[in-house]
């Protein structure tokens, strides 16, 4: 998981049949901030904006007011502003065989920010529900080395590359996230990540960082580094299949909780993903995940399946089904105040709802509606969804510990330029 303590020996094997879901129309032209600048480099700098808000209603009205196991729509029956983000960037072009410099700077304000801080960077700015983070701030360099498409290097504040569902709501099919996407993959890093384009169809990924949502000194869970190694293979089955495999290794647990043992108690994350585009309308995605951490002596494993079917140019039907096993009850937690999630990294005061070892089953059904009159925008979408969560082994983790199952419904709306 991503809070303090120590997971045990964690091997996340994520077969992530990635759905390349996106609400962004390919024909959209980016806003070039310095279109008339005398230097060509500045002319390629672009600006994007996005606003998203939503609600997940819970007829059971849990006494805690929390939808258990749901970070982004955690407050039952309450609408919230999840994100307002601005992204200034200059992209790299792998097809150009020369040295290049680019960057990404993204600021994000909203309720989602509570879960994506870096320790010591933004986690103490406020205790309000709506918080501010530097979601990304990295320098990008293209190095024309070794192969025709070279190496791309990113240095700074990076969004974690592992997993199917991401922070950007326009790049995922649902408002809510799967258990796997919340509890078994990292969120943010301070470090460096390299992508070597070994062939036209094969990328090799490797990187090093200070830990999941951790930095240095008093603002670090421990004093050790962590890192990634993996690959992406495209072009399989006449371009219909894409495979991603990513492993991560390093201590992630808090010295405040485990003592100096936290500096050597390894967490192993492995993520294997595959997407199959059946045709222009239908895409299938799945994710298998196994997590084991030496410090917590606990593990979690899961399978997530996705289906996306474009009914018409304006409507897309989405399905997600998941089985998630939290073997020691160490991972699936819902936090009860706005700073509890980040406080848990350092073993500080973090009131939370927890559950015993549980096998979770979840199914989510949704529609994405993009009105044709607004297609000149980069993003405009309405996404209603219904979700069914259930304990499959008899525990009662939902609705403040009263029920073995939970039914929620709602969705989000987003607009972006």
């Amino acid at each position: 998981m991503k809070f303090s303590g120590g997971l045990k020996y964690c091997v996340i094997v994520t077969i992530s049949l990635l759905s390349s879901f996106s609400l962004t129309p390919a024909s959209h032209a980016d806003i070039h901030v310095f279109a008339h600048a005398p230097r060509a480099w500045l002319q390629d700098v672009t600006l994007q904006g996005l606003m998203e808000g939503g609600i997940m209603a819970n007829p059971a009205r849990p006494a805690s007011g929390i939808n258990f196991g749901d970070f982004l729509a955690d407050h039952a029956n309450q609408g919230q502003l999840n994100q307002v983000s601005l992204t200034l960037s200059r992209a790299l072009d792998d097809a150009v065989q020369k040295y290049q410099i680019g960057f990404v700077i993204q600021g994000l304000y909203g309720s989602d920010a509570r879960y994506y801080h870096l320790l010591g960077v933004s986690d103490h700015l406020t205790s309000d529900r709506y918080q501010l983070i530097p979601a990304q701030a990295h320098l990008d360099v293209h190095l024309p080395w070794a192969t025709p498409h070279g190496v791309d290097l990113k240095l700074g504040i990076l969004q974690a590359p592992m997993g199917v569902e991401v922070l950007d709501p326009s790049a995922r099919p649902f408002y809510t996230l799967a258990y796997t996407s919340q509890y078994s993959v990292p969120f943010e890093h301070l470090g460096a990540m390299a992508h070597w384009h070994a062939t036209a169809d094969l990328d090799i990924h490797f990187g090093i960082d200070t830990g999941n949502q951790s930095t240095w000194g008093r603002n670090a869970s421990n004093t050790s580094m962590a890192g990634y190694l993996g690959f992406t293979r495209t072009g399989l089955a006449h371009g219909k299949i894409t495979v991603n495999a990513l492993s991560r290794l390093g201590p992630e647990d808090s010295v405040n909780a485990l003592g100096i043992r936290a500096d050597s108690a390894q967490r192993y994350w492995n993520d294997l993903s595959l997407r199959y585009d059946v045709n222009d309308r239908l895409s299938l995605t799945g994710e298998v995940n196994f997590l084991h951490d030496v410090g917590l002596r606990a593990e979690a494993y899961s399978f997530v399946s996705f289906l996306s079917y474009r009914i018409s140019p304006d409507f897309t039907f989405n399905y997600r089904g998941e089985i998630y096993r939290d073997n020691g009850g160490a991972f699936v937690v819902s936090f009860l105040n706005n700073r509890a999630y980040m406080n848990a990294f350092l073993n500080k005061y973090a009131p939370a709802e927890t559950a015993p070892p549980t096998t979770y089953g979840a199914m989510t059904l949704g529609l994405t509606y993009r009105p044709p009159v607004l297609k000149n925008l980069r993003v405009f979408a309405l996404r209603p969804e219904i979700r069914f969560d259930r304990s499959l082994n008899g525990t009662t983790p939902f609705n403040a510990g009263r029920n073995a199952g939970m039914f929620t419904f709602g969705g989000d709306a987003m607009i972006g330029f």
Side-chain angles (χ1 to χ4, degrees), residues 18 48 294 331:
L18 288 169
Q48 292 184 348
V294 175
F331 300 103

Side-chain angles (χ1 to χ4, degrees), residues 16 47 85 152 179 202 269 312 344 357 363 404:
S16 137
L47 178 69
S85 66
D152 291 336
Y179 291 92
L202 177 64
W269 325 65
S312 72
M363 181 177 70

